[in-house]
Amino acid sequence: MTMHNRHAAAALPGPVPTETLPAMIDQHDRESGQTKALQQHTLFDDMQALVTGTLLVSLGVAMLGKAHLVTGGTVGIAFLLHYFTGLSFGKLFFAINVPFYFLAVKKMGWKFTLKTFAAVGLLSAFSELLPLVFTMENLNPLYGAIMGGLLCGVGLLVLFRHRASLGGINVLVLYLQERYGLRAGLVQLGLDATILMLSIPMISMTSVAISLLGAAMLNLTLAVNHKPGRYMAI
């Protein structure tokens, strides 16, 4: 049972049947003593979320790459290795995530891990295929950072709300939120800033500053829309 489930169970009077969990109680419900059970996502819900979320992120990543920017997390690490080695982003991103699946299974469970594995595979594939169907001739770096960050943030939000992620640091961030109530967006912002600082030898300081703007847009989207207790994915 997750922390959210334990909180919900503690607030309910008397024995709580297992089938009613997970549930959440908002402020109005706590005052009135009423409860609201959350409806589980169907397999179709999860499948369309994985495709939608990764498509949005792949477009955001393409915009960041076109502007020669970086971002945080395993996406940022894949960008740095791409700039350094010339290997494709999709292949590098998939390979970097492999070691993190152990943490995902141990801390978040098989269901979360399988969804994350699928999301990582889809993003890697979409990133490889996107240049075949979509190209950008000219992109202002500021616009690329803002729109790229927003697209990645919204895509991650879709995945988070269906208990999936893009692996790597996302796994750690989601675990910290579910276990300790730390906001995913704020924790990831600190980690992302560290990764961006490490990119200074590879890209210009101007690009680093613009990249920080993109990372801020991404994590602001998560911080505002993915607060503990506001939405519980089941």
Side-chain angles (χ1 to χ4, degrees):
M1 183 183 297
T2 65
M3 178 175 286
H4 294 301
N5 296 121
R6 290 195 294 271
H7 287 176
L12 294 173
V16 182
T18 303
E19 61 268 23
T20 65
L21 298 177
M24 72 176 184
I25 304 174
D26 60 22
Q27 184 63 37
H28 176 269
D29 289 337
R30 284 196 295 270
E31 293 175 353
S32 63
Q34 298 175 339
T35 64
K36 291 183 179 179
L38 294 177
Q39 183 178 359
Q40 286 192 338
H41 292 134
T42 65
L43 178 61
F44 175 79
D45 292 339
D46 287 338
M47 291 176 62
Q48 67 82 29
L50 290 176
V51 173
T52 300
T54 51
L55 276 173
L56 289 171
V57 174
S58 69
L59 181 56
V61 166
M63 297 183 76
L64 294 172
K66 177 65 176 179
H68 203 69
L69 304 175
V70 295
T71 186
T74 45
V75 173
I77 296 172
F79 262 133
L80 293 181
L81 290 176
H82 166 66
Y83 295 147
F84 183 73
T85 66
L87 296 175
S88 69
F89 168 86
K91 294 183 178 70
L92 289 167
F93 179 71
F94 186 85
I96 290 169
N97 273 286
V98 172
F100 289 95
Y101 293 127
F102 175 77
L103 175 64
V105 171
K106 185 177 180 180
K107 300 298 185 182
M108 308 298 288
W110 277 104
K111 188 175 181 180
F112 174 88
T113 303
L114 290 174
K115 289 181 182 179
T116 295
F117 180 81
V120 169
L122 285 171
L123 178 57
S124 298
F126 290 152
S127 296
E128 294 287 310
L129 297 173
L130 188 60
L132 301 178
V133 297
F134 179 76
T135 59
M136 290 173 280
E137 297 299 327
N138 184 37
L139 180 65
N140 181 278
L142 282 174
Y143 182 80
I146 294 172
M147 287 304 300
L150 286 174
L151 285 167
C152 289
V154 173
L156 282 171
L157 183 63
V158 172
L159 296 175
F160 285 3
R161 290 189 169 184
H162 286 260
R163 287 192 59 80
S165 77
L166 289 177
I169 291 178
N170 288 160
V171 173
L172 176 62
V173 166
L174 281 179
Y175 169 71
L176 291 175
Q177 173 159 302
E178 293 205 3
R179 182 66 179 83
Y180 300 106
L182 301 176
R183 287 193 184 181
L186 295 181
V187 173
Q188 189 156 337
L189 180 60
L191 295 173
D192 289 350
T194 301
I195 294 172
L196 288 170
M197 291 299 101
L198 295 176
S199 70
I200 293 176
M202 298 185 185
I203 62 176
S204 67
M205 285 299 298
T206 300
S207 294
V208 170
I210 298 175
S211 295
L212 284 170
L213 175 61
M217 298 305 297
L218 186 161
N219 289 286
L220 180 62
T221 301
L222 295 179
V224 171
N225 295 285
H226 195 66
K227 295 178 181 178
R230 172 170 292 179
Y231 186 103
M232 180 165 49
I234 60 177

